Amino acid sequence: MSYNVSSVRKVFDIPGGVHPPESKEQSLQLPLGPVLLPQRVVLPLSQHIGAPAKAIVAVGEKVRTGQLIAEPQGLFSVGLHASISGTVSAIEDRPIPHTSGMNAECIVIESDGLDEWVALDECEDYTALERDALMAKIRTAGLAGMGGAGFPSAIKLNPRADDKIDTLIINGTECEPYITADDTLMREQADAVIQGTLLLAHLLGAPSTVLIGVEDNKPTAITALKKAAAAIEGECNIEIVDFPTKYPSGGEKQLIQILTGIEVGSGDVPASLGIVCHNVGTAVAAWEAVRYGRPLISRITTVVGEALDTQRNIEVRIGTLISEVLEQNGFNADEAARLIMGGPMMGFALQDAGVPIVKTSNCILAPSKQELPEPPPAQACIRCGMCAEACPASLLPQQLFWYSQSEDYDRLQAHNLMDCIECGACSFVCPSNIPLVQYYRASKGAIKQAAVDKQKSDRSRERFEFRQARLDKAEAEKEAKRQARKQAAAEAKKLAAEKKEQELLQPTIAPVAAVPIPAAVDPEAEKAKLERALSSAQNRLDKAHERLDDAEPERRDKMAARVKEAELKVLDAQKKLEQFNTADNNDPVAAAIARAKAKASLPPHAKLTSSIEALKKRMTIAADKLSSAKTEGAATVDALQAGLDKMQGKIAKLQQELIDLGPEPAVEATVKEDTTPDPAAAAIERAKAKAAASANMSPADKLHDQITSIEKRIAKTAEKVAVARAEGSSTADALQLGLDKMTAKLDKARADLGELAPQVQPESAQNVDSAPEPDAASAAIAKAKAKAAATANMLPEEKLRDQIRSMQTRIEKTTVKVTAARAEGSDITDALQLGLDKMTAKLEKAKSELAELSN
Amino acid sequence: MRITSPHAHTPGNTGDVMKQIILATIPGLIALTYFFGPGSLINVIMMTAACMGVEAAILKLRRRPLGFYLGDYSAAVTGVLLGLAIPPYCPWWIVAIGAISAIGIAKHLYGGIGYNPFNPAMIAYVILLISFPLEMSQWAEPRTVLTESKELIGPFSALSHIWFGTPLTGALDAWTGATPLDSFKQNNSLLVEQLYASDSLFSTARWAGAGWEWVNIGFLAGGIYLLYKKIFTWHAPIAMLAMLFFCACIGYDNGSSNSLGSPLFHLLSGGTMLGAFFIITDPVSSAVSNRGRLIFGALAGLLIYLIRSFGNYPDAVAFAVLLMNFAAPFIDYYTVPRTYGHKKAKRATIKQES
């Protein structure tokens, strides 16, 4: 025999804590009361934390004491046993002891007064049993933590595999005032407590440290436990540790801190530190369940308070109505301030006495009005900090109160509201009598609710965003396809239009484009056709000129326009002829043009090749999309895959066709007149057209053209200079030099023009050179020309009027520009202003001339 | 209303706490009355009455229950402390303006009890000091320096002076004395020893200045009583006194003519003890956590020393406390205590990620 019972363990202090009047003596004057056999029991299906049990009896069924009447639903649940024998009279919602005063499903049993028990499965030596068998016994006995929370005991005895339990703490602290149920249990059933402790230690794999913690205000219990522990035969390493009385030492976290000096991390369970904590009541219940096969059907409850004639501890069947218990202890309803289940610090007020005793009911407190008077109205918080001194969790209750009032949940969480154990020490000491814990409970509820709501809304937002993204993606894909189709249609249209135009001009060639293998075209005939077109266009131009000369002054504008049109047509015809000729001449440029053109009207072979190319390109894109869709796990993966497969099929088909088609036909055969989108060719064409046009121009027109272009360039360069200057760029000087040169050129061109064409209206020339808008230059040429043509036939008066009109518009425009330039502080303001002044002067001159003419 | 836990409360309320504080000022008040005549006692009585009156008037204006709020005695405490702080024999209108400033402006304009960011008594003191520098810097001479021809001012001449401006006949000189802090501040040629020997304010004193040393000891005694009664924690007062002591040790300069005063001189002069135990312990306007109160007290002590030594005013408790009131919320943000189960203290400035 070896005993290792000691009480010389170092204990630690907890911060805060209070010393409310203990009020434990009054219920300890009488011994543990006789078992009350109630007439009826009401057994709530949920007396624990977790899923409610499920009734397995029917109304009218006869049950015996200790019979399982509701089985646990899942692991996180606890079974329920009949606490008396009798008949199930109802399974329905009844009021249960709960803070909210709510109703919940209960099994009601009417007693037959016999208290017939079911056969109990006793066990002499539990060490002989497998652990699983033992755990089954505990599990089926309906054990839930009897300290108050009602945590399913079996779960605590089954810690996670990676939590090696090295410390078992049996909580006999009972720090709440008034309550002496555990004290009584330890006094009266010390042996069972020790046996239960050994059993729990055995179930937890014999932890190296087994402690029973008791506050030093229970000396009788401590002595009894020590005696019982010493009497145990064999190895016994239970330490019974007493420590100074202070509320709330009995909180699990606080007791662990007192006995080990370790704190349980916020949000962690003690098992993560290798510690398991059980109430003494639970230890005894476990022992009775294993040793005697007796399920949890009764418990010791303190019935105390000055409103009672008899204050004592009773062993009471679970489900006994509190009203019945009170009645048997001489309850004086008029005297009672209120009815509390639990102690004065953490217990809750009962709405009425018609609720049953449950597994967690350690105390029924019926205080008189003098004993626990109504709380006085709360005064203002003066932040005295007494609450912070009392808080065992080292919170700042006054700040929590402040933020609770303002519903600042962020700050509340920053101040660790969630670590509040609601012990009530802060409210207890508050000189302003503020119900602090109520505020915290409300805020905690709101925060939890907000978290749930947020989770919900986050989830739906995610769903919505995902859907939106999916829709957007689909829409974008559709849009891309639409754009592609539109572009293709536009190109086709353009091509068709061009073809049509060519058909009009060269009807014999047009069909060639439509024929896959173009027929050989006689270049001579082609050339003849082009020449014919040109001559007819020229004829028309001549006619137009004639008509213009003959036309009435009113119709001159129209005629001039017709002349212009005819001119353009001539130009067009000339251009075409030119092209034909150069193509014929086999010069490299023309060859390139021809090649480019050939591409546009592809032979089937080339067409196939190019469509294969295009398909391959699309396939790569599709493959990319597919892989990205895969990585994102998008729903479109399948559709993309299908598309890709299709494309592959198409490519294979086309390739087959290509092979079928045989060798590529000669490209040389496809010489055609067809415009192409090739930019190089287009540029060449433009240059040629210009050359051709300029060949047809009069020297004066040429000079005009030159002047306009130089002016345009000058304007651009001036702008550049201004910008360069503003930026202090080093290119400003170079640009200025270029500008000067251009100006010189312009002057020369103007001089030339003056010499060359005195017949050209000076006004019109000036019109051109004073035009400041560089972008409008090319349009201005056409305008100027048309004007020149028109004005040539105008009366001087009309001319002047016209001039004045145009001047006025230009002045208006320029004024706007000047203002804008001023507003921006632009450098060209001065230049613009100068131009404006000039124009105004000219306008005045024109007006005076007009006046003279009219006179 | 459903009653929820806890159902038990400590007996007593805020009013009881305030009464304890008033009680604790008695030793200091006795010393003041003994050394300087009945001026301070009259001040305290008049100021308390005035503050209660202003409180009642404003409560009525705000339609608050009079009995409930007057019963918290917070206005009385403010009145007592302000009455102790202002010079004895100051005219009645100083008292009136003080009460209106303290209760009307510093307290109720901010929302009444519990909501004032600044110590009401000190706000009022500073308003008076800045507005009426002459009246606020005339301290009576202590009993010990009075010569044969001068008498301690009697209650009747005091009252008639306070109410009707009657000159304090026969004791005129006794009324315009400088405080030891003034004397020390004005000294720039004498060694501390010489000053102590030549100035009767010091030569008739035991440690730090005639009368004042006992007044401070009186308030120290009251403070120790309040600490024993756990009305407040030791953190702020002890930190303040320790810091003042520490600074004075540095600035003492071995008693040279440049000395800024001995540690004992600083601890037992002016408003040191009144400030340490009755002013910076005002919970509403100070820091909330113990760590915060340590910082609050220490910085207040530092400020008191700096203003006394280098500022324009000989005493500095009011300014130091008001400056620290500004800093209190800031200190609070960085001194949230470490909660059970947390490895590190959080900063209140860091909001939860939402």
Side-chain angles (χ1 to χ4, degrees):
Chain A
M1 286 217 300
S2 83
Y3 308 116
N4 180 20
V5 182
S6 69
S7 62
V8 287
R9 189 180 181 84
K10 175 178 164 46
V11 293
F12 301 81
D13 193 17
I14 55 167
V18 289
H19 294 93
E22 288 172 19
S23 306
K24 291 193 187 250
E25 281 308 306
Q26 54 264 54
S27 56
L28 288 170
Q29 302 307 312
L30 295 169
L32 183 62
V35 177
L36 282 164
L37 254 195
Q39 285 306 302
R40 170 198 294 158
V41 290
V42 177
L43 296 159
L45 288 170
S46 182
Q47 303 181 23
H48 52 265
I49 294 174
K54 188 167 171 263
I56 51 167
V57 289
V59 176
E61 204 172 315
K62 281 205 58 91
V63 292
R64 290 176 156 203
T65 311
Q67 182 184 334
L68 187 73
I69 53 172
E71 61 185 11
Q73 292 224 78
L75 264 183
F76 212 89
S77 184
V78 167
L80 184 61
H81 303 78
S83 51
I84 51 171
S85 64
T87 317
V88 176
S89 64
I91 301 174
E92 61 185 22
D93 280 3
R94 290 276 176 114
I96 60 160
H98 190 270
T99 339
S100 65
M102 67 176 189
N103 287 7
E105 199 174 21
C106 298
I107 297 175
V108 185
I109 302 170
E110 299 290 338
S111 174
D112 55 10
L114 299 174
D115 196 23
E116 284 181 332
W117 282 70
V118 289
L120 298 179
D121 179 21
E122 294 194 12
C123 170
E124 286 287 345
D125 180 14
Y126 63 81
T127 52
L129 286 174
E130 289 286 314
R131 187 173 181 277
D132 286 348
L134 268 177
M135 282 303 295
K137 278 177 181 285
I138 302 269
R139 200 167 276 135
T140 53
L143 293 195
M146 292 169 76
F151 193 89
S153 304
I155 293 175
K156 271 202 203 172
L157 289 170
N158 231 352
R160 281 186 3 213
D162 51 345
D163 291 335
K164 178 79 187 81
I165 302 303
D166 55 25
T167 306
L168 169 65
I169 293 174
I170 300 299
N171 190 346
T173 315
E174 204 163 52
C175 60
E176 274 249 6
Y178 286 99
I179 309 177
T180 51
D182 287 348
D183 192 1
T184 305
L185 182 73
M186 288 185 285
R187 289 177 190 211
E188 309 252 338
Q189 300 178 29
D191 291 335
V193 172
I194 298 296
Q195 291 293 354
T197 305
L198 289 173
L199 166 67
L200 296 182
H202 174 74
L203 281 168
L204 287 165
S208 55
T209 313
V210 180
L211 309 170
I212 301 179
V214 189
E215 272 187 347
D216 61 6
N217 62 351
K218 302 174 191 68
T220 320
I222 294 165
T223 316
L225 285 178
K226 284 186 174 166
K227 206 173 139 197
I232 291 293
E233 289 186 21
E235 201 67 38
C236 169
N237 63 346
I238 299 172
E239 284 180 62
I240 289 131
V241 190
D242 56 294
F243 48 86
T245 301
K246 175 158 94 173
Y247 178 83
S249 298
E252 187 177 68
K253 289 176 171 182
Q254 279 63 42
L255 182 61
I256 288 170
Q257 193 178 13
I258 288 167
L259 295 181
T260 66
I262 316 173
E263 292 178 16
V264 182
S266 176
D268 282 348
V269 291
S272 64
L273 298 172
I275 300 170
V276 165
C277 207
H278 279 285
N279 183 263
V280 282
T282 314
V284 170
W287 167 248
E288 291 193 335
V290 170
R291 173 66 184 81
Y292 305 109
R294 189 171 180 263
L296 182 58
I297 56 143
S298 68
R299 67 156 299 141
I300 296 176
T301 297
T302 309
V303 186
V304 68
E306 281 173 14
L308 293 164
D309 291 340
T310 320
Q311 302 183 51
R312 57 171 178 166
N313 281 281
I314 52 166
E315 180 154 15
V316 61
R317 295 290 168 99
I318 307 289
T320 309
L321 292 181
I322 286 170
S323 51
E324 220 169 306
V325 174
L326 289 174
E327 205 179 302
Q328 293 190 31
N329 288 283
F331 178 54
N332 201 330
D334 296 336
E335 267 182 46
R338 69 204 93 147
L339 212 50
I340 297 165
M341 180 165 271
M345 295 301 286
M346 289 186 80
F348 53 91
L350 291 171
Q351 303 293 82
D352 77 293
V355 294
I357 298 266
V358 292
K359 292 173 183 175
T360 56
S361 309
N362 50 8
C363 180
I364 296 160
L365 177 56
S368 69
K369 291 185 174 97
Q370 297 79 41
E371 207 174 1
L372 287 183
E374 291 274 320
Q379 292 172 291
C381 171
I382 55 166
R383 311 211 303 166
C384 63
M386 291 187 189
C387 47
E389 291 298 302
C391 181
S394 302
L395 297 166
L396 289 175
Q398 71 274 54
Q399 298 292 81
L400 292 175
F401 167 63
W402 189 268
Y403 295 130
S404 284
Q405 274 190 316
S406 58
E407 297 182 5
D408 188 344
Y409 299 133
D410 287 336
R411 286 243 189 280
L412 281 173
Q413 280 171 288
H415 279 83
N416 298 326
L417 173 66
M418 288 315 192
D419 290 296
C420 167
I421 58 168
E422 298 177 24
C423 67
C426 50
S427 302
F428 176 76
V429 297
C430 181
S432 288
N433 290 303
I434 301 169
L436 294 164
V437 183
Q438 283 189 15
Y439 280 96
Y440 306 153
R441 273 197 280 258
S443 293
K444 276 181 175 178
I447 289 170
K448 277 180 195 152
Q449 189 56 46
V452 170
D453 289 349
K454 190 178 177 308
Q455 206 178 7
K456 258 188 200 165
S457 72
D458 277 355
R459 226 179 271 148
S460 45
R461 199 189 63 233
E462 268 165 34
R463 268 204 302 272
F464 174 76
E465 278 171 357
F466 183 77
R467 180 173 179 274
Q468 207 56 33
R470 182 164 53 79
L471 290 179
D472 285 351
K473 208 170 161 188
E475 188 52 43
E477 277 168 15
K478 268 187 200 163
E479 183 58 31
K481 275 182 193 163
R482 257 202 296 278
Q483 286 297 336
R485 274 203 302 275
K486 207 170 153 188
Q487 211 179 332
E491 268 167 25
K493 209 172 166 186
K494 202 170 136 197
L495 211 64
E498 277 164 1
K499 271 183 191 166
K500 207 172 172 186
E501 201 182 316
Q502 279 164 23
E503 267 169 43
L504 282 173
L505 292 171
Q506 301 130 7
T508 47
I509 297 171
V512 174
V515 182
I517 302 170
V521 180
D522 183 3
E524 281 311 311
E526 189 69 21
K527 195 181 176 182
K529 251 176 224 164
L530 282 172
E531 275 167 349
R532 271 206 301 280
L534 180 58
S535 66
S536 83
Q538 263 165 351
N539 276 343
R540 255 178 282 167
L541 178 61
D542 291 344
K543 267 185 199 164
H545 268 301
E546 270 171 35
R547 249 185 260 164
L548 179 61
D549 291 338
D550 296 342
E552 300 291 321
E554 301 85 44
R555 296 188 60 208
R556 273 195 187 141
D557 276 3
K558 217 174 181 182
M559 285 301 133
R562 222 171 255 177
V563 169
K564 181 78 202 158
E565 207 179 326
E567 268 173 4
L568 283 173
K569 265 191 186 148
V570 171
L571 284 181
D572 204 37
Q574 275 172 341
K575 189 173 79 185
K576 292 234 165 91
L577 187 61
E578 188 91 9
Q579 273 171 6
F580 190 77
N581 288 340
T582 41
D584 243 7
N585 291 342
N586 281 338
D587 77 40
V589 181
I593 296 166
R595 266 206 305 284
K597 280 177 185 165
K599 229 185 224 167
S601 61
L602 287 168
H605 199 285
K607 244 187 209 162
L608 278 173
T609 323
S610 78
S611 30
I612 288 170
E613 285 301 320
L615 271 172
K616 274 185 182 163
K617 222 183 232 166
R618 274 169 60 200
M619 222 171 87
T620 8
I621 293 167
D624 276 352
K625 264 191 201 164
L626 180 62
S627 64
S628 72
K630 266 184 189 161
T631 49
E632 289 169 18
T636 53
V637 173
D638 287 347
L640 284 170
Q641 186 62 54
L644 197 61
D645 292 344
K646 251 188 209 167
M647 271 190 259
Q648 260 167 345
K650 236 182 207 170
I651 290 174
K653 201 179 143 219
L654 285 173
Q655 272 167 346
Q656 188 55 45
E657 271 178 29
L658 189 63
I659 294 160
D660 289 347
L661 202 65
E664 200 174 344
V667 186
E668 288 78 6
T670 66
V671 182
K672 288 194 300 119
E673 287 286 356
D674 200 351
T675 34
T676 71
D678 188 335
I684 293 164
E685 268 178 34
R686 270 205 305 278
K688 276 184 185 159
K690 220 179 184 177
S694 60
N696 268 11
M697 274 184 195
S698 66
D701 283 353
K702 266 188 203 165
L703 276 173
H704 263 307
D705 214 357
Q706 204 185 341
I707 288 166
T708 351
S709 110
I710 290 174
E711 275 173 340
K712 200 162 140 189
R713 277 165 58 200
I714 286 176
K716 267 191 194 163
T717 317
E719 232 176 85
K720 272 187 195 164
V721 171
V723 170
R725 286 249 166 86
E727 293 175 6
S729 165
S730 57
T731 55
D733 288 345
L735 283 170
Q736 185 59 53
L737 198 69
L739 190 61
D740 293 342
K741 265 187 197 164
M742 271 190 268
T743 322
K745 232 185 201 170
L746 182 64
D747 289 341
K748 196 183 155 245
R750 276 187 190 155
D752 286 351
L753 186 63
E755 277 172 30
L756 193 75
Q759 80 276 9
V760 175
Q761 295 289 330
E763 287 86 358
S764 122
Q766 271 172 344
N767 268 359
V768 172
D769 59 33
S770 64
E773 306 96 333
D775 51 327
S778 52
I781 306 169
K783 261 196 232 159
K785 272 185 190 163
K787 222 180 189 174
T791 47
N793 292 318
M794 273 185 194
L795 291 171
E797 218 177 285
E798 275 176 342
K799 271 185 209 163
L800 277 172
R801 283 219 181 93
D802 205 25
Q803 205 188 339
I804 289 166
R805 254 204 313 281
S806 93
M807 273 295 177
Q808 275 165 340
T809 25
R810 276 169 56 206
I811 285 173
E812 264 170 43
K813 273 189 197 165
T814 319
T815 318
V816 171
K817 273 189 194 163
V818 171
T819 350
R822 282 243 172 86
E824 291 171 15
S826 167
D827 288 349
I828 57 167
T829 315
D830 289 346
L832 283 170
Q833 186 59 52
L834 199 68
L836 189 63
D837 293 343
K838 263 189 200 163
M839 273 190 267
T840 324
K842 238 181 229 167
L843 180 64
E844 289 311 313
K845 197 185 151 220
K847 273 184 184 166
S848 62
E849 271 177 22
L850 185 63
E852 270 175 37
L853 262 175
S854 326
N855 291 340
Chain B
M1 188 188 85
R2 175 139 13 100
I3 298 155
T4 57
S5 67
H7 305 274
H9 293 278
T10 43
N13 54 36
T14 303
D16 296 332
V17 173
M18 297 293 177
K19 279 187 254 177
Q20 293 286 337
I21 294 172
I22 294 172
L23 195 68
T25 61
I26 287 177
L29 183 59
I30 289 172
L32 275 170
T33 308
Y34 175 77
F35 283 101
F36 300 98
S40 285
L41 185 60
I42 295 168
N43 270 351
V44 166
I45 292 167
M46 277 171 52
M47 189 63 91
T48 306
C51 282
M52 297 287 266
V54 175
E55 172 100 346
I58 293 179
L59 285 173
K60 193 133 181 81
L61 218 62
R62 294 179 67 197
R63 298 203 185 92
R64 295 289 199 279
L66 280 189
F68 182 72
Y69 280 102
L70 286 176
D72 63 29
Y73 287 91
S74 59
V77 167
T78 303
V80 168
L81 296 180
L82 187 53
L84 291 169
I86 59 175
Y89 314 111
C90 62
W92 63 269
W93 47 268
I94 289 274
V95 171
I97 294 172
I100 291 167
S101 306
I103 304 297
I105 294 172
K107 186 179 179 187
H108 277 288
L109 280 191
Y110 287 96
I113 182 171
Y115 295 95
N116 48 300
F118 303 105
N119 188 313
M122 289 303 102
I123 287 273
Y125 182 82
V126 167
I127 288 176
L128 293 173
L129 185 61
I130 292 171
S131 310
F132 312 105
L134 182 69
E135 287 81 357
M136 287 297 285
S137 52
Q138 287 175 328
W139 270 89
E141 296 208 308
R143 170 191 289 273
T144 50
V145 302
L146 296 177
T147 51
E148 302 288 313
S149 60
K150 296 180 195 167
E151 289 171 5
L152 205 63
I153 298 157
F156 294 108
S157 56
L159 278 173
S160 96
H161 173 74
I162 290 167
W163 282 101
F164 308 109
T166 321
L168 288 163
T169 44
L172 195 65
D173 289 347
W175 179 55
T176 55
T179 66
L181 278 169
D182 292 325
S183 298
F184 217 96
K185 199 167 179 65
Q186 281 145 19
N187 169 53
N188 47 16
S189 56
L190 300 174
L191 296 176
V192 172
E193 252 176 67
Q194 292 169 332
L195 178 72
Y196 273 33
S198 64
D199 193 328
S200 61
L201 274 177
F202 294 104
S203 61
T204 60
R206 196 178 291 264
W207 303 291
W212 286 100
E213 54 193 20
W214 285 106
V215 170
N216 274 285
I217 286 167
F219 286 126
L220 172 64
I224 289 168
Y225 169 75
L226 291 177
L227 274 180
Y228 167 74
K229 283 294 207 174
K230 292 190 176 167
I231 299 299
F232 47 71
T233 63
W234 56 268
H235 301 80
I238 299 302
M240 181 194 128
L241 295 177
M243 180 58 98
L244 194 58
F245 181 84
F246 175 73
C247 292
C249 284
I250 293 172
Y252 181 49
D253 197 21
N254 232 351
S256 76
S257 60
N258 285 328
S259 172
L260 298 172
S262 74
L264 202 57
F265 168 72
H266 274 286
L267 288 181
L268 295 180
S269 283
T272 302
M273 291 299 170
L274 182 69
F277 291 99
F278 295 89
I279 303 297
I280 71 162
T281 50
D282 167 38
V284 179
S285 54
S286 86
V288 289
S289 67
N290 287 340
R291 212 149 50 97
R293 284 172 178 170
L294 275 178
I295 296 170
F296 183 89
L299 290 178
L302 178 67
L303 281 174
I304 289 170
Y305 185 76
L306 291 177
I307 299 173
R308 271 184 184 178
S309 306
F310 308 108
N312 276 329
Y313 291 96
D315 205 355
V317 173
F319 291 107
V321 167
L322 290 183
L323 283 171
M324 287 316 296
N325 288 163
F326 274 112
F330 180 75
I331 295 170
D332 287 344
Y333 280 140
Y334 293 94
T335 52
V336 177
R338 185 188 66 86
T339 307
Y340 179 103
H342 288 262
K343 287 200 174 65
K344 265 171 65 182
K346 276 187 195 172
R347 276 186 201 165
T349 41
I350 300 168
K351 288 200 168 194
Q352 289 282 307
E353 281 180 26
S354 47

